[in-house]
């Protein structure tokens, strides 16, 4: 199977209110990069956009009358869970679980301003 460049077999597709702001949030917190795949509706809302976080693609669109808001729980590995947690909180996320040592690494959880839950983990060293 040949996939499009920058795509994986499974990718989340988030339907949000404030997709452009969500993209900015991921850039600030997770150093996401825009893939260049972005199309807007006539009213300026996102019809389709893609971001990449360390090589993993997330697709996103703004909710519409036909496509209601659908958020997700996202598990993400980061180099430093504490630093990423602080960036997320500073960017408006609410705390679900403060950083702590788990048997699988240093982990924490936040809900972003768009309703997505992020489980942030740094692998044990």
């Amino acid at each position: 199977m040949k996939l499009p460049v920058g795509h994986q077999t499974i990718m989340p597709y988030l339907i949000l209110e404030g997709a452009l702001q969500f993209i900015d949030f991921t850039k600030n917190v997770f150093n996401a990069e825009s893939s260049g795949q972005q199309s807007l509706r006539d009213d300026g809302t996102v019809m389709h956009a893609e971001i990449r976080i360390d090589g993993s693609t997330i697709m996103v669109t703004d909710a519409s009358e036909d496509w209601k808001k659908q958020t997700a729980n996202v598990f993400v590995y980061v180099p430093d869970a504490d630093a990423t947690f602080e960036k997320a909180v500073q960017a408006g996320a609410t705390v679900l679980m403060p950083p702590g040592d788990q048997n699988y690494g240093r982990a924490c959880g936040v809900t972003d301003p768009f309703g997505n839950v992020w489980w942030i983990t740094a692998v044990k060293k």
Side-chain angles (χ1 to χ4, degrees), residues 38-58:
Q38 182 172 310
S39 55
L40 301 177
R41 296 182 184 100
D42 291 339
D43 65 2
T45 60
V46 174
M47 183 183 316
H48 178 85
E50 297 177 10
I51 59 163
R52 289 194 196 108
I53 298 174
D54 199 25
S56 295
T57 300
I58 297 175

Side-chain angles (χ1 to χ4, degrees), residues 15-17 41 43 45 62-69:
I15 302 173
L16 307 173
E17 295 168 357
R41 296 182 184 100
D43 65 2
T45 60
D62 270 302
S64 66
E65 190 172 306
D66 295 328
W67 300 101
K68 303 301 178 206
K69 179 179 174 179

Side-chain angles (χ1 to χ4, degrees), residues 2-119:
K2 185 171 171 106
L3 299 174
V5 173
H7 285 189
Q8 300 77 234
T9 302
I10 298 174
M11 296 177 290
Y13 203 121
L14 307 178
I15 302 173
L16 307 173
E17 295 168 357
L20 290 175
Q21 293 82 4
F22 169 80
I23 292 167
D24 288 341
F25 176 87
T26 61
K27 286 179 178 180
N28 290 332
V29 176
F30 300 105
N31 299 316
E33 298 175 348
S34 177
S35 71
Q37 298 288 329
Q38 182 172 310
S39 55
L40 301 177
R41 296 182 184 100
D42 291 339
D43 65 2
T45 60
V46 174
M47 183 183 316
H48 178 85
E50 297 177 10
I51 59 163
R52 289 194 196 108
I53 298 174
D54 199 25
S56 295
T57 300
I58 297 175
M59 296 179 173
V60 62
T61 186
D62 270 302
S64 66
E65 190 172 306
D66 295 328
W67 300 101
K68 303 301 178 206
K69 179 179 174 179
Q70 295 181 29
T71 59
N73 277 257
V74 182
F75 185 96
V76 58
Y77 284 111
V78 297
D80 184 334
D82 293 83
T84 303
F85 174 83
E86 288 302 322
K87 284 185 193 176
V89 171
Q90 289 174 6
T94 57
V95 177
L96 289 174
M97 183 177 84
D101 292 327
Q102 307 296 327
N103 62 351
Y104 52 88
R106 183 92 173 147
C108 53
V110 298
T111 302
D112 70 27
F114 313 93
N116 301 291
V117 173
W118 294 86
W119 297 106

